[in-house]
Amino acid sequence: MSKTIFNVQKNINPHFKDVWTSKKPYNILKGGRNSFKSSVIVLKLVFLMIFYITQGKKANVVVIRKVGNTIRDSVFNKVQWAIRLFGMSGKFKPTVAPFKITHKKTGSTFYFYGQDDFQKLKSNDIDDIIAVWYEEAAEFASQEEFDQSNVTFMRQKHVDAKFVQFFWSYNPPRNPYHWINEWSDEMKGEEDYLVHESSYLDDELGFVTEQMLKDINRIKNNDYDYYRYIYLGEPVGLGTNVYNINLFKPLESLPSDDRVIALFYSMDTGHSVSATSCGCYGLTAKGNVIRLNTYYYSPAGQVNKKAPSDLSKEIFEYIKATSTQEPYKGATIRKRTIDSAEGALRNQYYKDHRQHWLPINKLKKVDMVDYVHDLLAQGRFYYLENPLPTGLKHCDSNEIFIEEHKKYQWIEGTQNTDNPQVVKEDDHTCDEFQYFCVSNARDLRLKV
């Protein structure tokens, strides 16, 4: 039977030598997108487990994401990739309920958890733990969330291990005052900590492909600050204006060399004084995104304000009219997204039309905004200056969408905190644009 020889020099960039050889209990890896920090960690975790397996011993590794439903498409697949690279796929058995990857002979296991199910995580007695990995560590709310788990894992240390080795990997948030940026800076120089920084520029082995470089350079040319943040891993700060309005590109008409292949609707709702905004977005065959039309109703200053039943009828007619226009025939409605705090209109709409709106899983405002930044920086977002007319009330103009985004700002002073806030005035199209990007990140090829 042929053996697979893992060549460290061909699979680990020299920049990561300190990580690969680290004997420190705590290892913080931060860096830009395509820096391959997560790949280095997962290869090291498999390598550490193999050391015990070859001695016939059982050894366990715990892998944690903040949100459990992201495990399958990220760390679970990543560990299997690393096992394949070591030529040991046939010796492990993966299962998905729960997520585990187990060595058949020794029982050594990679356990996968979401921190959002902390009680379940805390109650599990795993034992024989040699390492723990927090992937996308910036998603966690504070250092305390790590501390709660770490004590549990330390108590379950493998008897032959000097200590449980912890790894954190993340892209530094844009805000320099985000807690994880401050925490990693504080850990520099601590005896038991390795703090490692990386970017795609540290790749000497050719892992960054020409296609990747083309995408990177497009973002570099469109929005240099965003490039520094995403690809160099620099906390560049927030400024005052939330968006660069020059990245909202106007179209006089639909492009003749592209076509809309899917439609999306996103809604932020209001009540007695707040407006209701519903955006119609088109995804094109070339991967561009176009704001096709806007429904916008403001009850401000009106004596007789629309009830949820009125809005349900008007939104339904708006979607029917926009989705059946000639240029969009054949484009299916892929998703309808709504503010998760809105129950009345969502229930009314289902009662009237038997159609569901998906409530958005809200994140911190700065993180929601970041999804929009990603789309804008890629140079793929457009809006119709003159939407195709439906003849309906409160529709057929994207002007309010642009005007609200021009005025959209951070509250002065909050940029220097862990939780920056926006000015909550005239922001309804801004909110539903964020809901659209977050809810459809995979379809839009945004970070997930």
Side-chain angles (χ1 to χ4, degrees):
M1 185 173 67
S2 63
K3 287 187 176 181
T4 299
I5 298 175
F6 180 79
N7 189 316
V8 175
Q9 282 74 27
K10 288 184 178 180
N11 289 282
I12 307 295
N13 266 296
H15 184 73
F16 287 97
K17 182 179 179 180
D18 288 350
V19 177
W20 189 258
T21 60
S22 173
K23 303 298 182 185
K24 294 182 181 291
Y26 308 105
N27 301 268
I28 303 170
L29 278 70
K30 59 180 180 177
R33 192 180 294 176
N34 294 341
S35 64
F36 301 99
K37 55 192 176 296
S38 297
S39 298
V40 173
I41 290 175
V42 76
L43 287 169
K44 176 155 184 172
L45 293 176
V46 173
F47 181 75
L48 290 173
M49 183 179 283
I50 289 173
F51 173 78
Y52 287 86
I53 287 174
T54 54
Q55 301 176 63
K57 297 177 181 178
K58 179 181 179 181
N60 297 319
V61 173
V62 177
V63 183
I64 306 172
R65 287 286 306 259
K66 172 65 176 176
V67 181
N69 63 16
T70 60
I71 286 172
R72 184 179 204 135
D73 294 333
S74 58
V75 286
F76 186 66
N77 288 340
K78 196 75 175 175
V79 170
Q80 292 182 84
W81 163 82
I83 290 171
R84 284 196 299 273
L85 212 57
F86 278 94
M88 297 188 67
S89 292
K91 299 180 185 298
F92 284 83
K93 179 183 178 181
T95 59
V96 297
F99 285 107
K100 291 193 300 184
I101 301 174
T102 305
H103 185 248
K104 296 174 184 177
K105 187 174 181 180
T106 64
S108 300
T109 301
F110 288 92
Y111 292 88
F112 301 85
Y113 292 102
Q115 181 82 11
D116 49 353
D117 195 5
F118 177 69
Q119 292 306 319
K120 179 180 176 183
L121 185 157
K122 192 167 64 171
S123 64
N124 275 22
D125 289 326
I126 299 171
D127 294 326
D128 298 318
I129 295 176
I130 58 171
V132 175
W133 175 28
Y134 294 94
E135 167 68 324
E136 299 293 354
E139 295 176 347
F140 293 77
S142 66
Q143 179 188 347
E144 285 71 31
E145 289 197 334
F146 303 145
D147 295 340
Q148 291 179 64
S149 307
N150 291 353
V151 174
T152 300
F153 300 136
M154 290 174 188
R155 287 198 297 262
Q156 300 176 50
K157 179 185 75 68
H158 195 291
V159 66
D160 293 341
K162 185 177 179 181
F163 46 71
V164 175
Q165 194 166 32
F166 291 87
F167 296 87
W168 291 266
S169 55
Y170 69 96
N171 290 20
R174 188 182 188 115
N175 180 7
Y177 300 94
H178 190 285
W179 74 265
I180 201 166
N181 287 333
E182 294 187 331
W183 173 64
S184 63
D185 285 344
E186 290 169 3
M187 294 303 106
K188 288 180 179 177
E190 289 288 327
E191 183 180 357
D192 288 338
Y193 281 79
L194 169 69
V195 180
H196 187 274
E197 300 180 22
S198 59
S199 80
Y200 77 99
L201 297 174
D202 297 310
D203 173 38
E204 297 180 26
L205 299 180
F207 297 150
V208 180
T209 66
E210 287 300 319
Q211 185 177 13
M212 289 177 183
L213 284 173
K214 188 175 179 180
D215 283 342
I216 292 169
N217 288 326
R218 183 174 72 248
I219 288 177
K220 185 177 181 180
N221 293 330
N222 284 333
D223 190 336
Y224 187 68
D225 278 348
Y226 191 75
Y227 155 79
R228 289 171 55 212
Y229 155 52
I230 287 294
Y231 288 105
L232 302 185
E234 298 179 12
V236 295
L238 299 174
T240 302
N241 291 330
V242 176
Y243 301 120
N244 177 357
I245 201 63
N246 294 322
L247 298 178
F248 292 69
K249 296 188 279 191
L251 290 174
E252 291 185 3
S253 59
L254 290 169
S256 58
D257 60 345
D258 202 0
R259 61 188 178 87
V260 174
I261 59 172
L263 295 171
F264 302 82
Y265 292 88
S266 184
M267 183 158 50
D268 182 57
T269 59
H271 296 286
S272 58
V273 294
S274 297
T276 293
S277 174
C278 183
C280 172
Y281 299 89
L283 177 64
T284 76
K286 291 185 175 181
N288 292 322
V289 178
I290 304 174
R291 172 86 173 202
L292 300 171
N293 208 323
T294 300
Y295 171 93
Y296 194 93
Y297 163 73
S298 175
Q302 300 193 38
V303 177
N304 297 316
K305 305 176 190 297
K306 294 185 188 295
S309 57
D310 300 316
L311 292 170
S312 171
K313 180 179 179 181
E314 291 191 358
I315 295 296
F316 179 80
E317 292 300 324
Y318 163 71
I319 293 177
K320 180 180 177 182
T322 50
S323 64
T324 56
Q325 289 177 307
E326 186 63 34
Y328 315 140
K329 283 190 175 176
T332 58
I333 299 174
R334 201 163 286 181
K335 193 179 292 183
R336 302 173 181 85
T337 305
I338 194 170
D339 184 350
S340 55
E342 173 53 60
L345 179 54
R346 181 154 45 103
N347 294 336
Q348 184 71 47
Y349 199 93
Y350 183 76
K351 177 183 177 183
D352 294 341
H353 313 295
R354 288 295 184 265
Q355 291 176 349
H356 287 290
W357 283 79
L358 181 72
I360 181 68
N361 179 24
K362 286 186 178 179
L363 312 173
K364 276 187 175 182
K365 180 55 70 174
V366 69
D367 295 327
M368 302 269 282
V369 163
D370 205 35
Y371 280 80
V372 180
H373 273 301
D374 194 7
L375 176 61
L376 295 176
Q378 292 181 45
R380 296 191 291 117
F381 182 71
Y382 301 82
Y383 68 94
L384 282 180
E385 290 186 295
N386 299 296
L388 299 179
T390 65
L392 299 173
K393 287 183 179 181
H394 315 301
C395 304
D396 300 347
S397 173
N398 285 324
E399 186 175 347
I400 188 71
F401 172 78
I402 293 301
E403 289 306 310
E404 287 194 344
H405 281 82
K406 283 180 180 177
K407 295 186 290 185
Y408 200 44
Q409 292 189 324
W410 297 107
I411 296 175
E412 197 68 41
T414 68
Q415 303 103 307
N416 300 337
T417 70
D418 186 31
N419 191 20
Q421 297 298 313
V422 293
V423 177
K424 292 298 294 177
E425 295 177 10
D426 301 325
D427 63 343
H428 306 288
T429 63
C430 305
D431 281 349
E432 50 99 335
F433 189 22
Q434 292 161 29
Y435 302 161
F436 161 69
C437 291
V438 172
S439 181
N440 301 291
R442 198 172 300 282
D443 284 330
L444 304 180
R445 304 200 319 270
L446 305 179
K447 66 168 192 177
V448 190

